[in-house]
Amino acid sequence: MNVKEVEKLLREVRNGETTVERALEVLKNFPYTDLGFARIDHHRELRTGYPEIIYCAGKTVEQVREIIRVMSAKENNVIGTRATTEMYEAVKGIVPEAVFYPMARIISVRRKEPEKPDTSIAIITAGTSDMPVAEEAAITAELLGNNVLRIYDAGVAGIHRLVDKLPEIRKCRVIIVIAGMEGALASVVGGLVDKPVIAVPTSVGYGANFGGISALLAMLTSCSTGVTVVNIDNGFGAGFSASMINKMK
Amino acid sequence: MNVKEVEKLLREVRNGETTVERALEVLKNFPYTDLGFARIDHHRELRTGYPEIIYCAGKTVEQVREIIRVMSAKENNVIGTRATTEMYEAVKGIVPEAVFYPMARIISVRRKEPEKPDTSIAIITAGTSDMPVAEEAAITAELLGNNVLRIYDAGVAGIHRLVDKLPEIRKCRVIIVIAGMEGALASVVGGLVDKPVIAVPTSVGYGANFGGISALLAMLTSCSTGVTVVNIDNGFGAGFSASMINKMK
Amino acid sequence: MNVKEVEKLLREVRNGETTVERALEVLKNFPYTDLGFARIDHHRELRTGYPEIIYCAGKTVEQVREIIRVMSAKENNVIGTRATTEMYEAVKGIVPEAVFYPMARIISVRRKEPEKPDTSIAIITAGTSDMPVAEEAAITAELLGNNVLRIYDAGVAGIHRLVDKLPEIRKCRVIIVIAGMEGALASVVGGLVDKPVIAVPTSVGYGANFGGISALLAMLTSCSTGVTVVNIDNGFGAGFSASMINKMK
Amino acid sequence: MNVKEVEKLLREVRNGETTVERALEVLKNFPYTDLGFARIDHHRELRTGYPEIIYCAGKTVEQVREIIRVMSAKENNVIGTRATTEMYEAVKGIVPEAVFYPMARIISVRRKEPEKPDTSIAIITAGTSDMPVAEEAAITAELLGNNVLRIYDAGVAGIHRLVDKLPEIRKCRVIIVIAGMEGALASVVGGLVDKPVIAVPTSVGYGANFGGISALLAMLTSCSTGVTVVNIDNGFGAGFSASMINKMK
Amino acid sequence: MNVKEVEKLLREVRNGETTVERALEVLKNFPYTDLGFARIDHHRELRTGYPEIIYCAGKTVEQVREIIRVMSAKENNVIGTRATTEMYEAVKGIVPEAVFYPMARIISVRRKEPEKPDTSIAIITAGTSDMPVAEEAAITAELLGNNVLRIYDAGVAGIHRLVDKLPEIRKCRVIIVIAGMEGALASVVGGLVDKPVIAVPTSVGYGANFGGISALLAMLTSCSTGVTVVNIDNGFGAGFSASMINKMK
Amino acid sequence: MNVKEVEKLLREVRNGETTVERALEVLKNFPYTDLGFARIDHHRELRTGYPEIIYCAGKTVEQVREIIRVMSAKENNVIGTRATTEMYEAVKGIVPEAVFYPMARIISVRRKEPEKPDTSIAIITAGTSDMPVAEEAAITAELLGNNVLRIYDAGVAGIHRLVDKLPEIRKCRVIIVIAGMEGALASVVGGLVDKPVIAVPTSVGYGANFGGISALLAMLTSCSTGVTVVNIDNGFGAGFSASMINKMK
Amino acid sequence: MNVKEVEKLLREVRNGETTVERALEVLKNFPYTDLGFARIDHHRELRTGYPEIIYCAGKTVEQVREIIRVMSAKENNVIGTRATTEMYEAVKGIVPEAVFYPMARIISVRRKEPEKPDTSIAIITAGTSDMPVAEEAAITAELLGNNVLRIYDAGVAGIHRLVDKLPEIRKCRVIIVIAGMEGALASVVGGLVDKPVIAVPTSVGYGANFGGISALLAMLTSCSTGVTVVNIDNGFGAGFSASMINKMK
Amino acid sequence: MNVKEVEKLLREVRNGETTVERALEVLKNFPYTDLGFARIDHHRELRTGYPEIIYCAGKTVEQVREIIRVMSAKENNVIGTRATTEMYEAVKGIVPEAVFYPMARIISVRRKEPEKPDTSIAIITAGTSDMPVAEEAAITAELLGNNVLRIYDAGVAGIHRLVDKLPEIRKCRVIIVIAGMEGALASVVGGLVDKPVIAVPTSVGYGANFGGISALLAMLTSCSTGVTVVNIDNGFGAGFSASMINKMK
């Protein structure tokens, strides 16, 4: 729709040939009118309990406090990821109902209760050391309104714990697998269940682990179908994507 | 050893036809009985139209022909990825109804019609050169029983084509974004739509593109939420995962 | 400007409180109205001789021929980069005035003469083997309407050729330096002249050259100020950026 | 050996105070006389307000203080990049008018006012965390005599801020885009504006970000024309190159 | 569910105390019963002195203390690798007989004496700085019940120490070679002895050593036959594998 | 200088035929006399059936033919790895009993029968495409005098084949696991069996597989104990090391 | 502008044929006059038998022929590296005395006999496949006027050949060690001899060899003192540097 | 077993005090007697002033003190590289004449005066921050008995300092060039002088510098002939190799 067409539409409105409502509709259907940057934000405001997200790392305590102050003033839910205790102390001073999840490094402010589907998200880790990433995923998913089934430390050495829970896992709608080192768990889970698997490589390990690259490559080249991957240590991204899938109607 | 056989063994124990010691020995020697791995396979057989998958690259023409012969004899659907024309010629000789998609490099044999949900999968590429990967994803998704909305060549230079189709894209349940070079399209789409995005980096490009690594890294580090990533050029994996999500109930 | 404001504006037009012209102006000034994707294209059409660009690699001969046919039909200038002789033969059949530059691998169709500033772009290469990349830059710059000063094979071994031309080089408005191997030429030129230097690493070389990475890293870490870098072997990008700077008013 | 000394030598030859052989010897032993390197420096001295640059990282506090003392004694402007507060304290003790920009990590001494063109440089960042690099670029550009338009935190999530400012951005003569993670902002801006874009990858991020490499690769392989790249976190280099272009006549 | 429980179930079936259907259900709900994973564990319990292994890095002091408390309660031997003094202090409070090897960073609890073959494992290091990794291997091997021959600091500069001990080394059943930098020692030893060599690259070194990658690559590409490699700095893994081979019957 | 010659020298000293000084000089001028390097070679000659190894890649057909001619003349067994059909044709012309294993790319000449232990080596591959590497390992092991248990195509998708064979695998003395892509099979096997596992990453795959690096890293960082690794595609090395372990007494 | 011309100018100044101002202008406009770069070239012309070097790879047959024609016309010696048979055929047509060394890929034209010192250069390779690189080094050194001692195929497996020649090697003035794979030979030789060692990594090998990187890293991190390294496969560079050292007075 | 002991043995054989068989046994059991490795050490002892080298990094203060105590007791000169002040304090307590060079991080003990040739080694750095590496090279060279010409901070920006000193540099016998960032200085110096250049990349810099890799690659791929390279930051290695060349007779 070009300028000429917009002009024509406006003239029709002036002349009463087109109603305001119809013109509004047309303008809204413009490819650019609907560009969505704004509308997404709008949708977010309308949906109950959909939180604002702040990536706190690389921000000062003051910046985090101010952003959360402004956001929570709008009665939105807020999730601050990669937050520190110090940030939380600053936020709590002005938003007393803020909650801090230390292992997940998340600050949350809850103003509205999100809808919660009956289905669940399973979060499986290979080892104890993957727990901070797992909790980031779990708390994110829970704050977005999901039931979470946590199965931690179910790597090769403890795989009976995984097999134990297979029936429960198979009832979940989407599965997050979190592993460092060789990341084999994603392939194993992907071979056992018929659900979308979101794999999170972690930087846990040493030697030829290279801060999570070995797990990342293993997960990307997994022979199991249905496995997609997010960034190293990106528990938040996995929780968010899993929530999108779990809350699908 | 399947459930029936275990049942038979138990009955023999009850009837005294088999001693407890013998039965224990048998069970110990078939540790995999209920391994679940098999159960998946079994489930696959039961579900209408779920295809068997063969990764043809690295196999000889003879191996591919034999595998497809065996599989299609079981009245299963078959998808052979990374197939060559030569492989197709060999397959067609024994399975005349086999179909070849040259751009997608897929051989398919269709014995049963898969269920098809009303919702669709959008597949968006940045450039014309990404089309082989996109077609691999598209044909995979279609053979698995999905409607596919193809939007090709919608990268930065042609982004109006993307914006044009936004309303249609937003109606899809899941979106596959395929791009080489800097892979920015995944972030742009992820910022515009509120649906799971599966990003496929392609090896298209030159210079500091490194066979798709630049796009892979860009997609993994995307600031847009809801983006997960599959391996470079892995159109099949994206199509399969998207199908899993699209066919969710 | 949100939907409410657009509605209000439309009502004012209907009520005669705002003229059509004024409303049009407002809509044109919308942040999204001006999103520019289209306007850039529009500007391009208006400007004399500004060419359409096609990256031919990864496209079929047929695709290239069709795209150039459509584009040249609009009386636009066209530049097809990374083109092959075969592509040129196909294009010439339908656009006889098309020209092919074999070393630069460029097909061009010239319909309008671009404006040409008095100032020039210097293009300096370290070795003879860098010439294809240099010619891609040079022909690009010339087709965009620039004078080009070519100084080839002026690397360490032949640096007297460079020094010889320093007075001429210093009269240019922008300088492109093209080098493989250790890419030291960019630092040397950057230290000798007080003009923007666009450095192009090339994949020329062997051993720890890694397809141009050694030159790329050297250019990125250059101690000389005023040096910016484009992708390995990206002569076109360098020629285009240099043209932007040279044609500045 | 400066021009005066060569002139003196020539006069001595003319006057017979020096033999041709002796003069030849002198000239041969000072091969660098006219080296141009020096001439550049000389030019710098003559031009009003052109600063001396010191890269402070890797130098001791004493070294930085001494270098700035010597330089500012010559009535030159001085820019010290990557400076620490401690360095500033030491410098202030001997050059009281020295100014410190903590976020930009720049110490400046201003003795002469640089010429300032009417045109501006736009500096756009994807996120808040890119601000130190952005400020290094901005302060550099301002100290070199440029107007700077700062647009911070305009990444995918806040892209309406970018779109909002597009008319203003388009009036600038050159644009610096600063982004970490997937660096998509450079491609997006490059697609929206018809001006030279200098992209600065930042080491902001985590996971497969690799200290800025993902952004660096994305920017180098950007499909948008007119984008050149400087080193990771090199705000100074971007500010300097942008100033060169902005101050062009 | 262990073998005893399965036996009990079978007896109940035989005795009519449990129906076939019920037994089938039980077996189906414990698919892992015979999984072999557990059997390995079971085997471990039976074998005298076979230790439980805990990788302590990335675990909290509390987690380590609890795990060791539980494990040592079962009268098993325990090896905690990558342990800190702090962890040891916490463990000692509840398991007084725990021993700490500071250089090897290992905590051990010994409840049963492992069998010890007559043959030995040789552990050879290139330099003094490789000793922590070597001790991790040595203590691991000793705790698993092996004689260890330590030959430290026998790199190129001190190779006479190696040659000195060749007759003794050749009497060992398996050899661990530990080296950083260029890792040449593995090739040299592999060429001198006719026994399996397990090579451990260490992160010792600087420059183009890249945290052990240079040694890792050298060891992987070793021209000497009979050399296999474990992860960088993985003394434990080398000690464990060497023990497996040394204790073979 | 061999043992005999030294003995002769000593006798001459004793008999006064050679002075002490002269003998000292001789010994000093043959520093390598007892170097052990030679002793290994000597040992090799003495042991029944131990083959000479030739790495044929990078050698000309003529070189390979000549080397094998010389070696087989000494009545030694010979194994030529990475051989081509062309090389075999040339060898067969002069050593008619030479045998060629095309998939393993091995030429062998058998002059003596090697001793064969009762125990076996298991060789397990993840996929069909790993077979050439597996056959290189298998033929190597067989030529060195070992029984080999081949279990091919037992990756995640076909893991029931692996589980099926577990009792047989557990009877083997050492296990070779060969896998490309994410290499998870090594971890899975390492978790299931209590025997030394030699893992061979293969270059099979595409995308972020990087010619076998993803599998190599996964295997190196494997959480399963008892896993050591050889170079990418190095079937020969794995077969050789496995033979060393299997033939241990 | 050469020394003669400067002398002429000075004489004109003395004679009053040229004003001081004019001479100053001329000197200022030829900043490179005494640049030394040229002086090196001049020196080259004067020295007996010092050859001109042409890197032929990346040049066309015509370019190589023309360059050699011009150079040999000046009665200089010429070395063309990385030359093909085709290039040689073209050169021979116009310079019949040109010689081609196929394994070394060198074309030479000899017009003057270079001085030859009494001392020699040892060139040692690890394997047969390193011979092309070794011959490039050897022929380069010989053409530059050096005696060369070739010791090929003296890697770990054949190290007795090396030890055999130690007395001869120790008489050489400088040693070139050429090896692919793990490159351990450089460390071994560096530990045995007290002479400068120039190490050349080669791209020979497979797997984690990465086109010579494993050997390059090993050589760079060599623990032996006195080892310096040139680029992968850079036989010419090693031969040239060794010649510089060997011909030192 | 040293030469004296072998002589004694031979005399015993001659005198009949030892049987031939016994002597043979002794010689066989000391295969390293003549190993040459030892001979090197022996040579070292004999040569005046040749120091023992200790790489202190990765050693404890106690280890360093003990090693230096033992070594200096033998009246040898000692060089301890990468030493800390703390190590020096410990050494000084037992070897009071020990000297510490803090910037070079070297401890030296001087017992004998090394021979000093008339020729010199030039050490040139690109920047001030390269000084620690340069001093390591310089002090090493001086302690080994060489005259050193230091030219620091002569990079692109200060290249007139380099040109200034060219006549002096050309008189040196070997040149060490030390540079971080893009390492161009090695190529520039290599192009200006006709002497062996040993290039040392330093880890100085930031961004795409990667701890010295950019400089390393640039130096390895340098187009200038006569340049060889040592490891990143390896000032000691450069000083040692330069000394070998400079002290050649």
Side-chain angles (χ1 to χ4, degrees), chain B residues 11-154:
Chain B
R11 287 194 194 286
E12 289 171 4
V13 168
R14 192 192 51 189
N15 301 342
E17 296 162 19
T18 297
T19 63
V20 165
E21 288 66 28
R22 167 76 191 133
L24 195 58
E25 199 56 34
V26 169
L27 286 170
K28 272 167 67 184
N29 286 324
F30 293 93
Y32 50 92
T33 313
D34 278 316
L35 232 201
F37 306 109
R39 240 189 300 158
I40 285 178
D41 290 345
H42 193 62
H43 277 173
R44 287 194 172 164
E45 284 167 28
L46 298 180
R47 233 180 300 126
T48 315
Y50 199 103
E52 299 280 348
I53 311 295
I54 309 148
Y55 179 67
C56 297
K59 297 203 173 62
T60 64
V61 170
E62 288 67 34
Q63 288 175 321
V64 169
R65 190 191 54 206
E66 278 315 284
I67 296 172
I68 292 188
R69 194 178 55 74
V70 170
M71 283 180 167
S72 57
K74 296 191 201 152
E75 295 305 308
N76 284 344
N77 290 349
V78 179
I79 294 179
T81 64
R82 305 283 159 119
T84 62
T85 309
E86 203 189 351
M87 289 172 181
Y88 172 59
E89 295 302 334
V91 168
K92 205 172 53 176
I94 54 164
V95 188
E97 69 273 37
V99 178
F100 188 50
Y101 304 84
M103 179 165 273
R105 287 161 301 168
I106 285 178
I107 298 171
S108 85
V109 181
R110 204 140 195 184
R111 290 280 149 87
K112 302 160 192 161
E113 199 55 35
E115 292 176 52
K116 208 171 211 166
D118 294 338
T119 53
S120 298
I121 296 168
I123 301 184
I124 309 173
T125 75
T128 310
S129 328
D130 302 315
M131 277 179 65
V133 177
E135 279 302 302
E136 191 182 67
I139 299 297
T140 297
E142 288 174 347
L143 292 172
L144 291 164
N146 298 276
N147 296 307
V148 170
L149 170 67
R150 284 169 174 83
I151 302 165
Y152 290 174
D153 199 14

Side-chain angles (χ1 to χ4, degrees), chain C residues 28-239:
Chain C
K28 271 166 67 184
N29 287 322
F30 274 10
Y32 51 86
T33 315
D34 276 324
L35 227 200
F37 304 110
R39 232 189 315 156
I40 286 177
D41 290 345
H42 193 62
H43 278 173
R44 287 193 173 167
E45 284 168 28
L46 297 182
R47 234 181 298 127
T48 313
Y50 199 102
E52 299 279 347
I53 311 293
I54 308 149
Y55 178 67
C56 298
K59 297 202 173 61
T60 64
V61 169
E62 288 67 35
Q63 287 175 322
V64 169
R65 189 190 55 207
E66 277 316 285
I67 295 172
I68 292 188
R69 196 179 54 73
V70 169
M71 283 179 167
S72 57
K74 294 193 202 149
E75 297 303 309
N76 285 343
N77 291 349
V78 179
I79 294 179
T81 65
R82 303 284 158 118
T84 62
T85 309
E86 203 189 350
M87 288 172 181
Y88 171 60
E89 295 303 331
V91 167
K92 204 172 54 176
I94 55 165
V95 188
E97 69 272 38
V99 178
F100 188 50
Y101 303 85
M103 178 164 275
R105 288 163 301 167
I106 285 178
I107 298 171
S108 84
V109 181
R110 203 139 195 185
R111 289 281 149 84
K112 300 160 193 160
E113 199 55 36
E115 292 177 50
K116 208 170 212 167
D118 295 338
T119 52
S120 299
I121 296 168
I123 300 184
I124 309 172
T125 75
T128 311
S129 327
D130 302 314
M131 276 179 64
V133 176
E135 278 302 301
E136 190 182 69
I139 299 298
T140 298
E142 287 174 348
L143 291 173
L144 290 164
N146 298 277
N147 295 308
V148 170
L149 170 67
R150 283 169 175 83
I151 302 164
Y152 289 173
D153 199 14
V156 168
I159 207 163
H160 50 279
R161 261 162 297 186
L162 172 66
V163 179
D164 237 13
K165 301 271 185 166
L166 265 181
E168 254 185 284
I169 294 170
R170 286 188 176 130
K171 279 181 206 139
C172 292
R173 214 179 184 201
V174 54
I175 297 156
I176 296 172
V177 175
I178 298 173
M181 301 305 285
E182 92 276 46
L185 190 62
S187 290
V188 170
V189 172
L192 288 170
V193 292
D194 207 19
K195 295 287 163 54
V197 171
I198 297 172
V200 192
T202 66
S203 55
V204 168
Y206 65 102
N209 166 61
F210 305 130
I213 295 182
S214 62
L216 172 62
L217 293 184
M219 287 166 167
L220 281 170
T221 57
S222 171
C223 293
S224 299
T225 47
V227 177
T228 61
V229 184
V230 297
N231 199 355
I232 297 165
D233 290 338
N234 189 3
F236 167 73

Side-chain angles (χ1 to χ4, degrees), chain G residues 146-214:
Chain G
N146 298 276
N147 296 308
V148 170
L149 170 67
R150 283 169 175 83
I151 302 164
Y152 290 173
D153 200 13
V156 168
I159 206 161
H160 50 280
R161 260 163 297 188
L162 173 66
V163 178
D164 240 12
K165 302 269 185 168
L166 266 181
E168 252 186 285
I169 294 170
R170 286 192 176 127
K171 282 182 206 139
C172 292
R173 213 178 185 202
V174 54
I175 297 155
I176 296 173
V177 175
I178 299 174
M181 301 306 285
E182 91 277 47
L185 190 62
S187 290
V188 170
V189 172
L192 288 170
V193 292
D194 207 20
K195 295 285 163 55
V197 171
I198 297 171
V200 192
T202 66
S203 55
V204 168
Y206 65 101
N209 165 62
F210 305 130
I213 296 182
S214 61

Side-chain angles (χ1 to χ4, degrees), chain E residues 11-131:
Chain E
R11 290 196 193 284
E12 289 172 1
V13 169
R14 193 192 52 188
N15 302 342
E17 294 164 21
T18 297
T19 64
V20 166
E21 288 69 27
R22 170 70 192 138
L24 194 59
E25 198 57 33
V26 169
L27 286 169
K28 270 166 69 185
N29 286 323
F30 293 93
Y32 53 93
T33 311
D34 280 318
L35 232 199
F37 305 112
R39 240 192 298 164
I40 285 176
D41 290 344
H42 193 63
H43 278 173
R44 287 192 175 166
E45 283 167 30
L46 298 180
R47 232 180 297 129
T48 313
Y50 199 102
E52 300 278 347
I53 311 295
I54 309 148
Y55 178 67
C56 298
K59 296 202 174 61
T60 64
V61 170
E62 287 69 33
Q63 288 176 320
V64 170
R65 190 191 53 207
E66 278 314 287
I67 295 172
I68 291 188
R69 194 178 56 74
V70 171
M71 284 180 165
S72 55
K74 295 192 201 150
E75 295 304 307
N76 285 342
N77 291 350
V78 179
I79 294 179
T81 65
R82 304 284 157 117
T84 62
T85 309
E86 203 189 351
M87 288 171 180
Y88 172 60
E89 295 301 333
V91 168
K92 204 173 52 177
I94 55 166
V95 188
E97 69 272 39
V99 177
F100 188 50
Y101 304 84
M103 179 165 273
R105 286 162 302 166
I106 286 179
I107 297 170
S108 83
V109 181
R110 205 141 195 186
R111 290 280 150 86
K112 302 161 192 160
E113 199 55 35
E115 294 176 49
K116 209 170 212 167
D118 295 338
T119 52
S120 299
I121 297 167
I123 301 185
I124 309 172
T125 75
T128 309
S129 327
D130 301 315
M131 277 179 65

Side-chain angles (χ1 to χ4, degrees), chain G residues 56-134:
Chain G
C56 298
K59 298 202 173 61
T60 64
V61 169
E62 287 69 34
Q63 288 175 323
V64 169
R65 191 191 53 207
E66 278 315 287
I67 295 173
I68 291 187
R69 195 179 56 74
V70 170
M71 284 180 166
S72 55
K74 294 192 204 149
E75 295 305 305
N76 285 342
N77 291 351
V78 178
I79 293 179
T81 65
R82 304 286 157 115
T84 62
T85 309
E86 202 188 352
M87 287 172 180
Y88 171 61
E89 295 301 333
V91 168
K92 205 173 53 176
I94 54 166
V95 188
E97 70 272 39
V99 177
F100 188 49
Y101 304 85
M103 178 163 276
R105 288 162 300 167
I106 285 179
I107 297 169
S108 84
V109 181
R110 204 139 195 186
R111 290 280 150 86
K112 302 160 191 161
E113 199 56 35
E115 293 176 49
K116 208 170 213 166
D118 295 338
T119 52
S120 298
I121 297 168
I123 301 185
I124 309 172
T125 75
T128 310
S129 327
D130 302 315
M131 275 179 63
V133 177

